[in-house]
Amino acid sequence: MKISRGFASDNNAGVHPEILKAIAEVNQGHVIAYGDDPYTAQAIDKFKEHFGNDIDVYFVFNGTAANVLGITALTRSFNSIICSDLAHLHVDECGAPEKYTGCKLLTVPSPDGKLTVGGIQGHLHGFDFEHHAQPKVVSITQATEMGTVYRPEEIREIADLVHSYNMYLHMDGARLSNAAVSLSCGFRDITVDCGVDVLSFGGTKNGMMFGEAIVFFNKNLTGNFKYIRKQGMQLGSKMRFISAQFNALLSNDLWRRNAKHSNDMAKYLEEKVKHIPKIKITQPVEANAVFAILPAESIPELQKQFFFYVWDETTSEVRWMTSFDTTKEDIDRFAQTLENILGERS
Amino acid sequence: MKISRGFASDNNAGVHPEILKAIAEVNQGHVIAYGDDPYTAQAIDKFKEHFGNDIDVYFVFNGTAANVLGITALTRSFNSIICSDLAHLHVDECGAPEKYTGCKLLTVPSPDGKLTVGGIQGHLHGFDFEHHAQPKVVSITQATEMGTVYRPEEIREIADLVHSYNMYLHMDGARLSNAAVSLSCGFRDITVDCGVDVLSFGGTKNGMMFGEAIVFFNKNLTGNFKYIRKQGMQLGSKMRFISAQFNALLSNDLWRRNAKHSNDMAKYLEEKVKHIPKIKITQPVEANAVFAILPAESIPELQKQFFFYVWDETTSEVRWMTSFDTTKEDIDRFAQTLENILGERS
Amino acid sequence: MKISRGFASDNNAGVHPEILKAIAEVNQGHVIAYGDDPYTAQAIDKFKEHFGNDIDVYFVFNGTAANVLGITALTRSFNSIICSDLAHLHVDECGAPEKYTGCKLLTVPSPDGKLTVGGIQGHLHGFDFEHHAQPKVVSITQATEMGTVYRPEEIREIADLVHSYNMYLHMDGARLSNAAVSLSCGFRDITVDCGVDVLSFGGTKNGMMFGEAIVFFNKNLTGNFKYIRKQGMQLGSKMRFISAQFNALLSNDLWRRNAKHSNDMAKYLEEKVKHIPKIKITQPVEANAVFAILPAESIPELQKQFFFYVWDETTSEVRWMTSFDTTKEDIDRFAQTLENILGERS
Amino acid sequence: MKISRGFASDNNAGVHPEILKAIAEVNQGHVIAYGDDPYTAQAIDKFKEHFGNDIDVYFVFNGTAANVLGITALTRSFNSIICSDLAHLHVDECGAPEKYTGCKLLTVPSPDGKLTVGGIQGHLHGFDFEHHAQPKVVSITQATEMGTVYRPEEIREIADLVHSYNMYLHMDGARLSNAAVSLSCGFRDITVDCGVDVLSFGGTKNGMMFGEAIVFFNKNLTGNFKYIRKQGMQLGSKMRFISAQFNALLSNDLWRRNAKHSNDMAKYLEEKVKHIPKIKITQPVEANAVFAILPAESIPELQKQFFFYVWDETTSEVRWMTSFDTTKEDIDRFAQTLENILGERS
């Protein structure tokens, strides 16, 4: 099989060699299954190094589960969850949140993927009225599905609003590392220090093979979580192999190196294509995604050589994602191909 | 960390080296996420080699999900599911089947873990009566939770009964390889050829890192399954790393070598301890488990040196599981220790 | 207790005397519970008189259940349901549809309460894509929550669109009688003859004590419905007392007399207040509701004498509902009071 | 239609005239819907007269809902519920408890319908173990499905056990009035005073048209219940018509008169048939049911003249229920017919 890399998704990348090495290293003898093993204890300690000691951490297999089960801990079925109309939670989970939590999702139009206090407030009514699903969670994505990044003060403002209504702030951090790198800050600065209550911490998109973490900053919420995870079909038996990955990711700045490289490549891609006349970059490039509108007829030709997704058929907007293993050469070739295609057409 | 191996569970073992090697080999470049990749296509072909072409196969993360989502495809919430009172589905999933399918579980007392036609028939009533949850699925475990194995004719008899009521036969095959080795047969001989409709095919307990397969022998049942898997939070993004494992497991007889070794070690363990006066083996040793009653006071001492679980506190019955990496030396040491403990006490 | 009537809701009215009489008349001896009684058979025949023989009818206790269980018959949990952002289904059921069906609700902004083909089409994408909840049902309300009424051709156009996507059209007919009277037509003309697949037929708001019907025009959908109703906690034991009410409502034009009176009173109310300078009627008065904006400060004073609800606090829009027992005198007094309050203020 | 009365079910009876009269009396003018009306306030006060002031009461449409929603308030989906293998909750609700609560039901064989401390204890294990559904509720039925009655001390013993495990005691009191009459006590004596936490209080089987009450003796459990009821599709709009029935039932000893008559008729029936040689009464007649084994071939003939249900086909055991409107003449005719049938056969 020919080795190639495209711009479709950071999920299309493989596993970082340091992660694979960490997996191999824990493959020794027997340890207790289901998380009561020393590697998992180490991984939890790693999370505490980054997020502070006052957390509870649970590992699950994937991001869908991290979001859905984290929110399960915050809600009863008569609650509602407020999120962006572009939130992965709403558009890309085949209705898993509704099925599993029983809750109603309420969306706010947010062209750049970011919720605002004003947008949220439109749904903050009907409290104490039994005919109305009771708002309980606001979920934001950091970095957003549009490759944008919330500033700490934006998160804090949302958290303050949310808490003033006795609600919880959930963060889908599938790409939290990209956001932290983008803001040149640590994880705490954009999570617990801004009032986030529960975080889905992403591993897979940043070089892991599988595995996401649910980080609770409010330990009152976790009394039942071990049952929620098990009943939620997300308790891995050979847990050490998730834990080893997190140990590696959170050591030696691997999370940062991977995310920084990925973000840098997105910036580099933007630089290489933004001057091309027929291309319009549509979102600020703050993480590892570049959104662009290009001539509709050029897309299939470009896709013949590089795999990526059309974001919006009606406007010919496409999404190009970079990942930890994207190279400058990949981008140079991509940009050159794009210029050739567009040049031929002019 | 000192390397050790116990007899607690085949989940406590690590990953077979051939599996780990297969994972590393597919870690090249980008492939489409979520299963539309060549490695997954290969793995599906491997399943067809073993089970015939007329199947549909879906990979999920773990056994809980394999069972629950497979049964979701067979049921509506007003159905009931009949299983052994010892079925993993009933006793070890924290109620995941009820929560996710909405169905009622009906159990049959089965001391050796095996359902019988007579036992099932006790629940086959109330059809067409709307006050009664409608029986729709019988689920059997092969090899059973008690380390016993259904003979093909036993499965066929159950399947015939089940199908005569327009119901489905589900098999929890978390240890199907151990059963096939025990019976010196292939997978088909104890699944599709006996009338099984849906199979959970286990990988993790037989040397994989993670990953189970749901095999549908009745393709009428699978029209919606891709949505069930996704909404069920079990669609892995970097799917190639599950697929590569199945490719390895189902090639070069690795599944058979691992299961045979594990079964052989259980037999060896039985041989080594059955003559000890104070020990009573309580189940036929047909797969990779040995169940035994031993003096209550000897258990804690033995557990100081070897990790294993007490199965029934009231009778001092314990379960000893072997796995693909158990060695004769492990067992020799274990048997010697056990003799020492019991000898001292006499 | 002083007898009074307000304009808050047609649910605040009592029971029409002919309904109460019908209840008393069936209170004789024993009949089989749960619907296998002659009165229920009669009621079903009544429905067939109105809707044609090719239907299946099931009675439930209330409108929430009629909508939720009817849609349960049409969906699996990975489906989505498209409705108006003002639909009772979305805003007034405390999330019952999500909890019970597991489906995602997708809303279309619709200021007059009516869905349009264009609005629906915005959600008709992502078919066959497992990450996306699969659209399966469009639900419209007739008459709408805003007191407006779909013309038959509007329903037909929506039905054609819906069916071209292999989806179903559900109608919340809590006030279907009001719509039929408004359009001077029969029930068939705005349901089955326009392509509606499943109807919630409202009794309670039109003079019954309790009881709604789910009418299936597509009998392929009803094979399981008796189980759905029972498991849905909506199978009444002394069913005859719902059936007797429907027998009365659907006999001697009682449904029409009640709805006509109610609609006429809404028109009369509109006539009496629309000339008042400070009042703006905001929706066409086509059924039994009048929506109006009036000076914010006048609302509490008016509410002291007549109970009604503010629809939108931000715009001072109120909703006045009439019912089968509203009298012209009620309205005259109401209009006079309103004029007095507003006159004093000018 | 010929007026007749059988022995099939107390649900086959109609409505007591005092109940019907009470309904008619509240059919005056408008009152606020959904329970914020004076009749509902009165009915709640009536419950407080009987059960003490420290309760919360909610009305729902039927017994399925009373049980399921009451238990919803006590559980999260990872809990289990322990009940008799004959409990209505388990055998007659089409799986509604599992579907709605997500919980696992665990049953205890109980030939007379009564749970015992010993039987419950068999399920009290696996606490704090995430693989195991966590026991949280024990549900008992008073009077039981077998027409037997728990003595207060039996309930207290169960309650003490249950509370010692931090669990809740739920009582299905569909026939609580029959039990209270049987024991010559008040409602408190066999509910709150014995440690019951939540009660389903039955109205329908004791002469009401529809309507059951959920009575919470532990007000900590009710903070969310109004949402649970609404989302559970059980909030009636014209609530006054349920409330009026409870007002009548709980006034002037109507509940007691009805239940006493019904119980007396069961005793009378027992007296009339127990001497017949071929008949064996199989349960103590403590409430309003008589269970008997009679020659299999006599059953169809008897059913031609009197409707009743066969309880167990395999043993020719039948159930005869009496109700508030059963007459001595009904029973005399029934006994005579039975004697004739059996006599002819000897």
Side-chain angles (χ1 to χ4, degrees):
Chain A
M1 196 170 302
K2 176 175 140 305
I3 295 169
S4 71
R5 283 179 299 273
F7 299 93
S9 171
D10 32 15
N11 278 326
N12 287 16
V15 180
H16 191 277
E18 294 179 36
I19 299 283
L20 209 52
K21 184 159 163 284
I23 286 175
E25 284 172 356
V26 300
N27 193 27
Q28 301 282 353
H30 285 203
V31 299
I32 298 180
Y34 299 114
D36 193 9
D37 67 87
Y39 309 110
T40 302
Q42 280 173 29
I44 291 171
D45 283 345
K46 281 285 169 196
F47 271 91
K48 290 184 175 173
E49 281 177 29
H50 287 274
F51 286 101
N53 282 320
D54 206 26
I55 60 168
D56 277 334
V57 190
Y58 296 83
F59 302 148
V60 294
F61 292 113
N62 67 354
T64 310
N67 284 335
V68 170
L69 298 187
I71 288 173
T72 299
L74 306 176
T75 53
R76 295 285 310 233
S77 60
F78 48 77
N79 288 130
S80 63
I81 300 159
I82 299 167
C83 64
S84 157
D85 61 339
L86 301 176
H88 203 272
L89 195 69
H90 179 60
V91 297
D92 288 308
E93 303 293 21
C94 198
E98 285 92 344
K99 160 75 175 163
Y100 204 77
T101 69
C103 295
K104 179 181 285 297
L105 264 65
L106 297 170
T107 60
V108 179
S110 41
D112 64 353
K114 292 163 75 171
L115 283 183
T116 60
V117 160
I120 295 165
Q121 281 170 327
H123 288 302
L124 299 181
H125 56 83
F127 291 97
D128 203 36
F129 182 55
E130 72 210 272
H131 300 258
H132 195 73
Q134 298 292 296
K136 195 68 191 175
V137 175
V138 168
S139 179
I140 60 177
T141 309
Q142 173 77 320
T144 73
E145 291 78 4
M146 303 308 291
T148 57
V149 171
Y150 286 91
R151 311 289 164 244
E153 60 273 19
E154 292 172 319
I155 301 170
R156 167 52 68 193
E157 195 188 3
I158 291 173
D160 288 347
L161 174 72
V162 163
H163 294 151
S164 75
Y165 281 86
N166 200 25
M167 296 167 57
Y168 299 113
L169 181 56
H170 171 265
M171 179 178 278
D172 176 350
R175 296 187 183 98
L176 187 74
S177 298
N178 301 87
V181 163
S182 177
L183 295 165
S184 302
C185 69
F187 293 137
R188 286 187 62 103
D189 303 310
I190 48 175
T191 57
V192 58
D193 288 352
C194 291
V196 171
D197 296 295
V198 179
L199 168 72
S200 294
F201 181 86
T204 314
K205 291 182 200 299
N206 198 27
M208 279 175 53
M209 187 188 295
F210 68 109
E212 309 279 305
I214 304 168
V215 185
F216 289 91
F217 301 113
N218 179 342
K219 295 176 90 163
N220 292 329
L221 301 170
T222 60
N224 292 321
F225 196 75
K226 67 179 179 177
Y227 308 115
I228 292 174
R229 178 173 62 176
K230 176 64 190 177
Q231 194 180 36
M233 308 183 281
Q234 289 286 329
L235 179 60
S237 56
K238 296 184 174 175
M239 183 75 87
R240 61 171 132 169
F241 298 105
I242 298 182
S243 304
Q245 295 181 68
F246 275 122
N247 274 326
L249 187 72
L250 294 177
S251 298
N252 305 317
D253 263 357
L254 179 59
W255 69 270
R256 193 193 303 274
R257 285 182 279 137
N258 281 356
K260 181 166 190 327
H261 179 81
S262 184
N263 286 9
D264 288 349
M265 289 299 100
K267 271 288 178 198
Y268 184 72
L269 172 53
E270 182 192 23
E271 288 305 310
K272 296 288 286 189
V273 303
K274 75 178 179 192
H275 68 279
I276 303 176
K278 291 169 191 158
I279 288 190
K280 184 185 165 202
I281 306 293
T282 58
Q283 296 284 346
V285 177
E286 298 177 347
N288 65 326
V290 178
F291 285 81
I293 289 173
L294 58 167
E297 64 281 7
S298 66
I299 295 175
E301 253 185 279
L302 188 58
Q303 284 179 319
K304 276 185 209 155
Q305 300 189 50
F306 298 89
F307 192 53
F308 61 89
Y309 291 105
V310 177
W311 186 254
D312 185 338
E313 295 278 0
T314 65
T315 58
S316 304
E317 188 177 12
V318 301
R319 184 187 78 163
W320 298 319
M321 299 292 302
T322 54
S323 55
F324 77 88
D325 64 349
T326 305
T327 66
K328 283 199 172 183
E329 293 68 38
D330 293 338
I331 293 170
D332 291 341
R333 280 201 307 122
F334 180 77
Q336 188 59 55
T337 305
L338 183 54
E339 285 197 77
N340 291 348
I341 289 168
L342 293 178
E344 281 164 17
R345 301 197 154 270
S346 59
Chain B
M1 194 170 303
K2 175 173 141 305
I3 294 168
S4 71
R5 283 179 297 274
F7 300 93
S9 171
D10 33 14
N11 278 326
N12 287 16
V15 180
H16 191 278
E18 294 179 36
I19 298 284
L20 209 53
K21 184 160 163 284
I23 285 175
E25 284 173 357
V26 300
N27 193 26
Q28 302 281 353
H30 285 204
V31 299
I32 298 180
Y34 299 113
D36 193 10
D37 67 87
Y39 309 110
T40 302
Q42 280 173 29
I44 291 171
D45 284 345
K46 282 284 169 195
F47 272 91
K48 291 185 174 172
E49 281 178 27
H50 287 274
F51 288 101
N53 282 320
D54 205 26
I55 60 168
D56 275 334
V57 189
Y58 295 83
F59 302 148
V60 294
F61 292 113
N62 66 355
T64 311
N67 284 335
V68 171
L69 298 188
I71 288 174
T72 300
L74 306 177
T75 54
R76 295 286 309 235
S77 60
F78 48 77
N79 288 130
S80 63
I81 300 159
I82 299 166
C83 64
S84 156
D85 62 338
L86 302 175
H88 203 272
L89 195 69
H90 179 60
V91 298
D92 288 310
E93 303 293 21
C94 197
E98 286 92 345
K99 160 73 176 166
Y100 204 77
T101 69
C103 295
K104 177 181 286 298
L105 263 65
L106 297 171
T107 60
V108 179
S110 41
D112 64 354
K114 291 163 75 172
L115 283 184
T116 60
V117 160
I120 294 165
Q121 280 170 328
H123 288 302
L124 298 182
H125 57 81
F127 291 97
D128 202 36
F129 181 55
E130 70 211 270
H131 300 258
H132 196 72
Q134 298 292 297
K136 195 68 191 174
V137 174
V138 167
S139 179
I140 60 177
T141 310
Q142 174 78 317
T144 74
E145 292 78 6
M146 303 310 290
T148 56
V149 171
Y150 286 92
R151 312 288 165 246
E153 59 273 21
E154 292 172 319
I155 301 171
R156 164 55 67 194
E157 195 187 3
I158 291 173
D160 287 347
L161 173 71
V162 164
H163 294 151
S164 75
Y165 282 85
N166 200 23
M167 296 167 57
Y168 298 113
L169 181 57
H170 172 264
M171 179 177 279
D172 176 351
R175 295 186 183 99
L176 187 72
S177 298
N178 301 87
V181 163
S182 177
L183 296 165
S184 302
C185 69
F187 293 138
R188 285 187 62 103
D189 302 311
I190 47 175
T191 56
V192 59
D193 288 353
C194 291
V196 172
D197 296 295
V198 178
L199 168 72
S200 294
F201 181 88
T204 313
K205 291 183 201 296
N206 200 26
M208 278 175 53
M209 187 188 295
F210 68 108
E212 309 280 304
I214 305 168
V215 185
F216 290 91
F217 301 113
N218 178 340
K219 295 176 89 162
N220 293 329
L221 301 170
T222 59
N224 293 321
F225 196 75
K226 67 179 180 179
Y227 308 115
I228 291 174
R229 177 172 63 174
K230 175 63 190 177
Q231 193 181 36
M233 307 182 282
Q234 289 285 331
L235 179 61
S237 56
K238 295 183 176 177
M239 183 76 85
R240 60 171 133 167
F241 297 104
I242 299 182
S243 304
Q245 296 180 67
F246 276 122
N247 273 326
L249 187 72
L250 295 177
S251 298
N252 304 318
D253 263 355
L254 179 58
W255 69 269
R256 193 191 304 271
R257 286 181 280 138
N258 281 357
K260 182 166 189 328
H261 180 82
S262 184
N263 286 9
D264 287 349
M265 289 300 100
K267 271 288 177 200
Y268 185 72
L269 173 53
E270 184 192 22
E271 288 304 311
K272 297 287 287 189
V273 302
K274 74 177 180 191
H275 68 280
I276 304 176
K278 292 170 188 155
I279 287 191
K280 182 183 166 205
I281 306 293
T282 57
Q283 296 284 346
V285 178
E286 299 177 346
N288 65 324
V290 178
F291 285 80
I293 289 173
L294 59 167
E297 64 281 9
S298 66
I299 295 176
E301 254 185 278
L302 187 60
Q303 283 179 321
K304 275 184 209 153
Q305 300 188 50
F306 297 90
F307 193 56
F308 61 88
Y309 292 105
V310 177
W311 185 256
D312 186 337
E313 295 278 359
T314 65
T315 58
S316 304
E317 187 176 13
V318 302
R319 184 187 76 164
W320 297 320
M321 300 292 302
T322 54
S323 53
F324 76 88
D325 63 350
T326 304
T327 66
K328 283 198 172 184
E329 293 69 36
D330 295 337
I331 292 169
D332 291 340
R333 280 201 308 122
F334 179 77
Q336 189 58 56
T337 306
L338 182 55
E339 285 196 78
N340 292 348
I341 289 168
L342 293 178
E344 281 163 18
R345 303 198 151 269
S346 61
Chain C
M1 193 169 304
K2 175 174 141 305
I3 295 169
S4 72
R5 283 179 299 273
F7 300 93
S9 171
D10 32 15
N11 277 326
N12 287 17
V15 180
H16 191 277
E18 295 179 35
I19 299 283
L20 208 53
K21 185 160 164 282
I23 285 175
E25 284 172 356
V26 300
N27 193 26
Q28 302 281 352
H30 285 204
V31 299
I32 298 180
Y34 299 113
D36 193 10
D37 67 87
Y39 308 110
T40 302
Q42 282 173 27
I44 290 171
D45 284 344
K46 281 285 170 195
F47 272 91
K48 291 184 175 174
E49 281 178 28
H50 287 275
F51 286 101
N53 282 320
D54 205 26
I55 61 169
D56 276 333
V57 190
Y58 295 83
F59 302 148
V60 293
F61 291 114
N62 66 355
T64 309
N67 284 335
V68 171
L69 299 187
I71 288 173
T72 299
L74 306 177
T75 53
R76 294 285 311 233
S77 60
F78 48 77
N79 287 130
S80 63
I81 301 159
I82 300 167
C83 64
S84 157
D85 62 337
L86 301 175
H88 202 272
L89 195 68
H90 179 61
V91 297
D92 288 309
E93 303 293 21
C94 198
E98 285 92 344
K99 160 76 175 163
Y100 205 77
T101 69
C103 295
K104 180 180 284 298
L105 264 65
L106 296 171
T107 60
V108 179
S110 42
D112 64 353
K114 291 162 76 170
L115 283 184
T116 61
V117 160
I120 295 165
Q121 280 170 327
H123 288 302
L124 298 181
H125 57 83
F127 291 97
D128 203 36
F129 182 55
E130 70 211 272
H131 300 257
H132 196 73
Q134 299 291 297
K136 196 67 190 176
V137 174
V138 168
S139 180
I140 60 178
T141 309
Q142 173 78 318
T144 74
E145 291 79 4
M146 303 309 290
T148 56
V149 171
Y150 287 91
R151 311 290 163 243
E153 60 273 20
E154 292 172 319
I155 301 171
R156 166 53 66 193
E157 195 189 2
I158 290 173
D160 287 347
L161 174 72
V162 163
H163 294 151
S164 75
Y165 281 86
N166 200 24
M167 296 167 58
Y168 298 113
L169 181 57
H170 171 265
M171 179 178 278
D172 176 350
R175 296 187 183 99
L176 187 74
S177 298
N178 302 87
V181 163
S182 178
L183 295 165
S184 302
C185 69
F187 293 137
R188 285 187 61 103
D189 302 310
I190 48 175
T191 57
V192 58
D193 288 351
C194 292
V196 171
D197 296 294
V198 179
L199 168 72
S200 294
F201 181 88
T204 314
K205 291 183 201 296
N206 199 27
M208 279 175 51
M209 187 187 295
F210 68 109
E212 310 279 304
I214 305 168
V215 185
F216 289 92
F217 301 112
N218 179 341
K219 295 175 91 164
N220 293 328
L221 301 171
T222 60
N224 293 320
F225 196 73
K226 66 179 180 177
Y227 308 114
I228 292 174
R229 177 173 63 175
K230 175 64 189 177
Q231 193 180 35
M233 307 183 281
Q234 289 286 330
L235 179 61
S237 56
K238 296 184 174 175
M239 183 75 86
R240 61 172 132 168
F241 297 105
I242 298 182
S243 304
Q245 295 181 68
F246 275 122
N247 273 326
L249 187 72
L250 295 177
S251 298
N252 305 318
D253 263 356
L254 179 59
W255 68 270
R256 193 193 303 274
R257 285 180 281 136
N258 281 356
K260 181 167 190 327
H261 180 80
S262 184
N263 285 11
D264 287 349
M265 289 300 100
K267 271 288 178 197
Y268 184 72
L269 172 53
E270 183 192 22
E271 288 304 311
K272 296 289 288 189
V273 303
K274 75 177 179 191
H275 69 278
I276 304 176
K278 290 169 190 157
I279 287 190
K280 183 184 165 201
I281 305 295
T282 57
Q283 295 284 347
V285 178
E286 298 177 346
N288 65 325
V290 178
F291 285 81
I293 289 173
L294 59 167
E297 65 281 6
S298 66
I299 295 175
E301 254 186 278
L302 188 60
Q303 284 179 320
K304 276 185 208 154
Q305 300 189 49
F306 297 89
F307 192 54
F308 61 88
Y309 290 105
V310 176
W311 186 254
D312 185 338
E313 295 278 0
T314 64
T315 58
S316 304
E317 188 177 12
V318 301
R319 185 187 76 163
W320 296 320
M321 299 293 301
T322 54
S323 55
F324 77 87
D325 64 350
T326 305
T327 65
K328 282 200 172 182
E329 293 69 38
D330 294 336
I331 292 170
D332 291 340
R333 279 200 308 122
F334 179 77
Q336 188 59 55
T337 305
L338 182 55
E339 285 196 78
N340 291 348
I341 287 168
L342 293 178
E344 280 164 17
R345 301 198 153 269
S346 58
Chain D
M1 196 170 304
K2 175 173 143 302
I3 294 169
S4 70
R5 283 179 298 274
F7 300 92
S9 172
D10 32 14
N11 278 326
N12 288 16
V15 180
H16 191 278
E18 294 179 36
I19 299 284
L20 209 53
K21 184 160 164 284
I23 286 175
E25 284 172 357
V26 300
N27 192 27
Q28 302 282 351
H30 285 204
V31 299
I32 298 180
Y34 299 113
D36 192 10
D37 67 87
Y39 308 111
T40 302
Q42 280 173 29
I44 291 171
D45 283 346
K46 281 284 169 196
F47 272 90
K48 291 185 175 174
E49 281 178 28
H50 287 275
F51 287 101
N53 283 320
D54 205 26
I55 60 168
D56 276 333
V57 190
Y58 295 83
F59 302 148
V60 294
F61 291 113
N62 66 356
T64 310
N67 284 336
V68 171
L69 298 188
I71 288 173
T72 300
L74 305 177
T75 54
R76 293 287 309 236
S77 60
F78 47 78
N79 288 130
S80 63
I81 301 159
I82 299 167
C83 63
S84 156
D85 63 337
L86 302 175
H88 203 273
L89 195 67
H90 179 60
V91 298
D92 288 309
E93 302 294 20
C94 197
E98 286 91 344
K99 159 76 175 164
Y100 205 77
T101 70
C103 295
K104 178 181 286 298
L105 263 65
L106 297 170
T107 60
V108 179
S110 41
D112 64 353
K114 291 163 76 171
L115 283 184
T116 60
V117 160
I120 294 166
Q121 280 170 328
H123 288 302
L124 298 182
H125 57 82
F127 290 97
D128 203 35
F129 181 54
E130 71 211 271
H131 300 258
H132 196 72
Q134 298 292 297
K136 196 67 192 176
V137 174
V138 167
S139 179
I140 60 177
T141 309
Q142 174 77 319
T144 74
E145 292 78 5
M146 303 309 290
T148 56
V149 171
Y150 286 92
R151 311 290 165 245
E153 59 273 20
E154 293 172 319
I155 300 171
R156 166 52 68 194
E157 195 188 4
I158 291 173
D160 287 347
L161 173 71
V162 164
H163 294 150
S164 75
Y165 281 86
N166 201 24
M167 296 167 57
Y168 298 112
L169 181 56
H170 171 265
M171 179 178 277
D172 176 350
R175 295 187 183 99
L176 188 73
S177 298
N178 302 86
V181 163
S182 177
L183 296 164
S184 302
C185 69
F187 293 137
R188 284 188 62 103
D189 302 311
I190 47 175
T191 57
V192 59
D193 288 353
C194 290
V196 172
D197 296 294
V198 178
L199 167 72
S200 293
F201 181 88
T204 314
K205 290 183 200 297
N206 200 26
M208 278 176 51
M209 186 187 296
F210 68 109
E212 309 280 304
I214 304 167
V215 185
F216 290 91
F217 301 113
N218 179 340
K219 296 176 88 162
N220 293 329
L221 301 170
T222 60
N224 293 321
F225 196 74
K226 67 179 180 178
Y227 308 115
I228 291 174
R229 178 173 62 176
K230 176 63 190 177
Q231 193 181 35
M233 307 182 281
Q234 289 286 330
L235 179 60
S237 56
K238 296 183 174 177
M239 183 75 85
R240 61 171 132 167
F241 297 105
I242 298 182
S243 305
Q245 295 181 68
F246 275 122
N247 273 327
L249 187 72
L250 295 176
S251 298
N252 304 317
D253 263 356
L254 179 58
W255 68 270
R256 193 191 304 272
R257 285 182 280 137
N258 282 355
K260 183 168 189 326
H261 180 80
S262 183
N263 286 8
D264 288 350
M265 289 301 98
K267 271 287 177 201
Y268 184 72
L269 172 54
E270 183 192 22
E271 289 304 311
K272 296 288 287 189
V273 303
K274 74 177 179 191
H275 68 279
I276 303 176
K278 292 171 189 156
I279 287 191
K280 182 183 166 204
I281 305 293
T282 57
Q283 296 285 345
V285 177
E286 299 176 346
N288 65 325
V290 178
F291 285 80
I293 288 174
L294 59 167
E297 65 281 8
S298 67
I299 295 176
E301 254 185 278
L302 188 60
Q303 283 179 321
K304 275 185 208 152
Q305 300 189 48
F306 297 90
F307 192 55
F308 60 88
Y309 291 105
V310 176
W311 185 254
D312 186 338
E313 295 278 0
T314 65
T315 58
S316 303
E317 188 176 12
V318 302
R319 185 187 75 163
W320 297 319
M321 300 293 301
T322 54
S323 55
F324 77 89
D325 64 349
T326 304
T327 65
K328 283 199 171 183
E329 292 69 37
D330 295 337
I331 292 170
D332 291 341
R333 279 202 309 123
F334 179 78
Q336 189 58 57
T337 306
L338 182 54
E339 285 196 77
N340 291 349
I341 289 169
L342 293 178
E344 282 164 16
R345 303 197 152 269
S346 60

